[in-house]
Amino acid sequence: MTATDRARRTTEADTLCRAAYEKAELPAAGVALVAVGGYGRGELAPYSDLDVVLVHAGAVDPGEGAGDVWYPLWDSGARLDHAVRTEQEMLDAAARDVKVALGLLDARHLAGDPNLTLRLRTTMLAAWRRDARSRLPALHRIVRQRHELVGEVAHESVPDIKEAAGGLRDATVVRALVATWLVDVPHVALEHARQDLLDLRDHLHEIAGRGADRVGPEAWAELAARLGLEGEAAAQVALRETGRRIAHIHRLTWRRIDGVLARPVSVRGARRPDLRTVAPGVALSSGEVVLDGRVAPADDALLLLRAAAEAAERDVVLSPATAARLVRESPPVPEPWSAEARDLLVRLLASGRGLLGVWETLEETGAVDRVLPEWQRIRLLPHASAIHRFTVDRHVVETCIEASALIRSVSRPDVLLVAALLHDIGKGELTEHAVAGEPIARAVATRMGFDAAAVDLVGTLVRRHLLLSGVATTRDPDDPATIAQLTSRIASPEAMSLLLALTEADARATSAKAWSSWRAGLVHRLGAHAIGVLESGQPPTGVVQDVVDVPDGVRRGATSIDVLEADDGVRVRVIALDRVGLLADVAAMLALQRASVRGARAWTQGDVAVTEWDVTDTAVEPAVLRQRLDSIVAGRIDPAQRLRPAEQARDGTALAPTVAVRTDASTVATVIEVRAADRPGVLYLVCATLAELGVTVSSAHIDTVGPQAVDVFYVQEQDAGPLADDRAAAAAHALRAALTPPPRPPDR
């Protein structure tokens, strides 16, 4: 599939349309058949619609021929999107709707009166240029809304190559922006990327046997074969690279448009371009950072970093031509880096949102490889977890942006930002990425001229960047062993403070779900306590547990249920006299309510048990919960029947649950970690199974990673001691049996 194939399809469609027009009885003048949109551009894919309009002058009546022209096209089997409009109706529609205007910019004459088509195109283009300043803000809003809805070609697991950011729609928008004469763009790069994406869409249509714009998982292998690439991964990289190039040019063009619109219109014609030096060798001109001509690139190895830092800090465009020239002509930064070079890099990374556009320009021009050749390890690398919004490289940039807002909370902002840049550098390796990334990060930090202490901090942060989040969500903060686990790996308050900031930046850059207020509270509470322990030098203690007021009725056997407001959901607090099985009953109550539990805590105050459950649902009524719990306790509802595991898939591909006893996680309880498919009832099944064994659950820590529930339970014997080894093994075996779905009956 090439441009030649598209030209052939367009020629065949043109011949079909002209023949249909000639058969219809239409006036010789004042009527024309016009192709618009993709057909107007001559870019028909195998299953594209033919977008055509029969245009006529207001004084000309096309008669019955206006309907007759469509019948031969329908009979041919062509997919037709058609309309009949007067010339003025076309212009009025374009004036009202910017999307109609975009389609008419590509209007192409097919048949009839060519003067009418020429007049329509000329008038439309003149109006587009005349009204551009007033119309482009509305177009930009539409584009942003589309991006928010569909995502980016470079980052979506099932990318939409037409509507997503970096897709064909964006390429069309860029052409329309250029048509305003307000800006210029890298035409060659845009056209090459656009043609590559058109080729891929042609193949996708052929593979799907229909008009398709989304690339599903089943299409990658055949796409790779058709594109002559080795494997699905190569095909994904090719598409992501093309999409990112279009997205970069698209964003760059809008930045230039915004700069033009922000400047007053000159009434005296063209002005001389302003050139204001902002740093040695670097100037600001028309909203872009360029070279001022006073320093030759060959004489200053830091000119690239200086230009990038200035552009990012000012949140303006780093001229791609300038970056490309510096890559060609400037020498590499001498190793180890000087303090000035490090400072420029830190300024770049600390620039906030201004970093994103500048980093994209550095990537597109090959400048990143000059500064950080290790970047190729993660370039366009997809994340294994669906919770991530972006590919690994973009996630790293987003982490730096998030970390830039936290630099005042740490003693070494430079270490935090470089660790943010390098925290995922080990991804793509066969070993655990934090382990693989540590030696790489140490080598990079050494090359950048950091002293030994700072290199050690960077390496430790990269190696342990998942530690605080993992412990906070899967371990009991009340257990001194939890703090001991943290402080045995992070030995100084400074390092723990940096880790806390890096954890937050990493999670915020991942997705909103990865840094909910609930998760943030867990991490900050644990991190602050660990810092306090390290600063005091005292032996680790647990986080001080909450003490709640116990209603009088509870001591007489009643159960108190309250629904409290909380960020990102609600907190259900249940207070009752302590007994084995209480946690299972409450878990069943919430599971039958279809409440999504994301965290649970349990503790005792004398003979009273307190359980708190953080749930994402907000429409939770205490009266409904109390009625459901009463029915469970009285035996009117059997949760085991309603919440048993679903049958396994016939092909045996369903993942079996795993149950592990973590012997080193606590000295006061036995810690059991359960991983199973995330669904209602898992928490109940675990608690009910443990209750049958006479085991109490002192706390539960619930987390979800993609489709998998990762739940950790601190369990004790009824006399409050940890389980003996044989009892722990028996509990693990019973949990596996309870969570394993029964085999599906064979087909008859």
Side-chain angles (χ1 to χ4, degrees):
M1 297 292 175
T2 64
T4 303
D5 296 305
R6 289 188 287 278
R8 173 184 51 77
R9 284 191 290 269
T10 300
T11 299
E12 292 172 353
D14 288 355
T15 300
L16 186 65
C17 289
R18 287 168 184 148
Y21 187 90
E22 291 172 1
K23 289 181 180 179
E25 296 182 0
L26 291 163
V31 182
L33 189 63
V34 178
V36 297
Y39 183 26
R41 293 189 297 273
E43 295 171 354
L44 289 179
Y47 290 90
S48 290
D49 292 347
L50 301 183
D51 293 334
V52 291
V53 183
L54 188 69
V55 185
H56 61 95
V60 176
D61 182 4
E64 295 183 359
D68 294 341
V69 72
W70 312 125
Y71 290 106
L73 299 176
W74 286 326
D75 292 342
S76 72
R79 297 163 55 92
L80 196 63
D81 188 350
H82 66 288
V84 179
R85 299 283 187 270
T86 67
E87 179 183 4
Q88 191 58 47
E89 286 174 339
M90 295 283 282
L91 295 173
D92 290 345
R96 291 191 305 270
D97 190 337
V98 69
K99 290 186 284 188
V100 174
L102 291 182
L104 288 184
L105 289 175
D106 295 312
R108 181 170 59 85
H109 182 71
L110 292 175
D113 186 350
N115 293 320
L116 178 60
T117 304
L118 178 61
R119 186 167 67 244
L120 177 67
R121 279 180 52 84
T122 303
T123 306
M124 179 60 228
L125 188 57
W128 178 248
R129 288 170 177 159
R130 182 190 66 236
D131 302 331
R133 286 179 173 269
S134 62
R135 305 203 67 183
L136 291 184
L139 176 59
H140 204 178
R141 285 193 298 272
I142 292 172
V143 167
R144 286 195 294 263
Q145 291 169 358
R146 172 167 53 82
H147 290 175
E148 291 173 3
L149 180 65
V150 188
E152 292 193 42
V153 169
H155 304 293
E156 295 298 314
S157 57
V158 183
D160 186 323
I161 61 175
K162 181 178 181 181
E163 302 292 347
L168 291 169
R169 187 78 73 188
D170 279 358
T172 300
V173 168
V174 172
R175 287 160 59 98
L177 296 178
V178 173
T180 65
W181 288 354
L182 295 176
V183 293
D184 198 4
V185 300
H187 290 284
V188 175
L190 175 64
E191 191 57 23
H192 282 168
R194 198 174 69 87
Q195 291 299 325
D196 288 344
L197 209 52
L198 287 169
D199 289 347
L200 192 142
R201 184 183 66 171
D202 289 354
H203 289 303
L204 187 60
H205 278 209
E206 291 286 358
I207 293 169
R210 57 183 174 81
D213 296 317
R214 290 185 176 273
V215 187
E218 71 284 350
W220 288 114
E222 189 166 348
L223 276 175
R226 286 169 171 261
L227 296 172
L229 301 172
E230 294 184 3
E232 300 179 18
Q236 290 193 41
V237 168
L239 173 59
R240 295 182 195 283
E241 191 161 26
T242 299
R244 190 165 68 180
R245 181 158 295 122
I246 292 175
H248 174 248
I249 295 173
H250 181 264
R251 281 192 277 262
L252 173 66
T253 306
W254 275 113
R255 290 295 299 268
R256 289 174 170 172
I257 285 286
D258 291 342
V260 171
L261 297 183
R263 295 193 294 271
V265 180
S266 175
V267 296
R268 295 186 178 182
R271 291 186 309 172
R272 293 181 57 189
D274 60 317
L275 192 69
R276 178 167 59 91
T277 297
V278 293
V282 177
L284 191 64
S285 176
S286 301
E288 297 191 21
V289 166
V290 298
L291 302 181
D292 67 1
R294 300 179 183 181
V295 178
D299 296 335
D300 190 346
L302 303 187
L303 206 49
L304 176 61
L305 285 171
R306 191 176 301 118
E310 289 291 337
E313 286 181 336
R314 298 170 186 275
D315 195 11
V316 297
V317 172
L318 172 62
S319 166
T322 295
R325 180 187 174 191
L326 289 171
V327 170
R328 292 192 308 269
E329 300 181 15
S330 63
V333 178
E335 299 178 10
W337 288 17
S338 63
E340 182 184 2
R342 284 196 309 280
D343 181 63
L344 289 171
L345 176 67
V346 171
R347 285 175 52 196
L348 171 64
L349 299 178
S351 58
R353 275 288 144 196
L355 172 65
L356 180 58
V358 171
W359 195 270
E360 286 181 343
T361 297
L362 294 175
E363 281 202 90
E364 286 298 313
T365 57
V368 169
D369 294 339
R370 294 287 302 274
V371 177
L372 186 63
E374 293 82 0
W375 190 255
Q376 287 299 324
R377 293 172 172 270
I378 59 172
R379 189 171 185 272
L380 294 170
L381 182 68
H383 269 106
S385 171
I387 196 173
H388 280 272
R389 295 176 293 168
F390 303 113
T391 52
V392 176
D393 53 350
R394 172 67 178 276
H395 166 74
V396 165
V397 176
E398 293 287 339
T399 303
C400 292
I401 293 170
E402 296 292 348
S404 70
L406 304 173
I407 58 176
R408 293 187 179 179
S409 67
V410 296
S411 61
R412 290 296 302 265
D414 55 342
V415 168
L416 172 63
L417 291 164
V418 171
L421 179 67
L422 301 173
H423 77 281
D424 274 350
I425 201 69
K427 286 203 168 174
E429 300 293 331
L430 296 177
T431 56
E432 180 186 345
H433 79 275
V435 176
E438 180 184 6
I440 301 172
R442 288 180 178 273
V444 172
T446 300
R447 186 174 73 235
M448 290 179 175
F450 283 101
D451 60 30
V455 169
D456 189 60
L457 273 176
V458 170
T460 299
L461 291 174
V462 172
R463 174 66 180 87
R464 303 297 182 187
H465 73 271
L466 300 175
L467 174 64
L468 190 54
S469 176
V471 171
T473 55
T474 63
R475 294 293 181 264
D476 188 349
D478 304 321
D479 192 326
T482 300
I483 298 297
Q485 179 184 1
L486 278 177
T487 55
S488 67
R489 291 167 172 79
I490 305 295
S492 71
E494 180 182 51
M496 188 67 74
S497 177
L498 286 164
L499 179 62
L500 181 58
L502 178 59
T503 300
E504 178 173 347
D506 187 15
R508 287 185 180 276
T510 298
S511 68
K513 289 176 62 178
W515 193 250
S516 62
S517 60
W518 164 76
R519 189 181 295 265
L522 291 177
V523 170
H524 278 295
R525 184 180 181 214
L526 186 62
H529 186 61
I531 291 171
V533 169
L534 289 168
E535 287 177 337
S536 69
Q538 298 299 313
T541 60
V543 176
V544 177
Q545 185 58 273
D546 297 332
V547 177
V548 301
D549 294 329
V550 178
D552 292 337
V554 169
R555 301 195 183 278
R556 296 191 296 269
T559 299
S560 169
I561 300 179
D562 293 309
V563 177
L564 312 173
E565 290 188 7
D567 293 336
D568 308 322
V570 296
R571 176 168 296 162
V572 178
R573 177 183 289 165
V574 180
I575 307 176
L577 291 175
D578 192 21
R579 62 177 172 84
V580 175
L582 174 63
L583 201 65
D585 290 342
V586 178
M589 171 191 77
L590 293 170
L592 292 174
Q593 191 66 23
R594 298 299 177 187
S596 179
V597 178
R598 64 188 178 193
R601 293 191 300 155
W603 69 94
T604 57
Q605 295 179 194
D607 59 348
V608 173
V610 182
T611 64
E612 289 187 342
W613 310 73
D614 287 306
V615 301
T616 57
D617 315 70
T618 56
V620 179
E621 294 294 335
V624 175
L625 294 178
R626 186 173 293 106
Q627 182 181 24
R628 196 176 295 276
L629 181 60
D630 290 343
S631 296
I632 293 169
V633 174
R636 294 189 298 271
I637 294 178
D638 184 2
Q641 290 298 317
R642 298 194 183 188
L643 298 173
R644 57 187 170 188
E647 296 171 342
Q648 293 188 55
R650 287 185 177 87
D651 59 7
T653 57
L655 292 175
T658 64
V659 180
V661 178
R662 304 300 184 191
T663 57
D664 60 342
S666 175
T667 58
V668 297
T670 298
V671 178
I672 299 178
E673 182 178 281
V674 176
R675 295 174 180 255
D678 182 34
R679 62 172 184 82
V682 170
L683 192 54
Y684 160 74
L685 287 170
V686 172
C687 294
T689 301
L690 293 171
E692 289 177 2
L693 295 172
V695 172
T696 64
V697 178
S698 61
S699 68
H701 307 270
I702 315 304
D703 198 13
T704 302
V705 181
Q708 176 180 244
V710 182
D711 302 337
V712 177
F713 302 87
Y714 281 66
V715 301
Q716 297 173 318
E717 298 288 9
Q718 293 187 44
D719 60 1
L723 276 61
D725 290 347
D726 57 339
R727 286 274 283 164
H733 178 75
L735 289 174
R736 290 189 197 96
L739 294 170
T740 300
R744 185 176 298 180
D747 294 328
R748 294 185 178 179

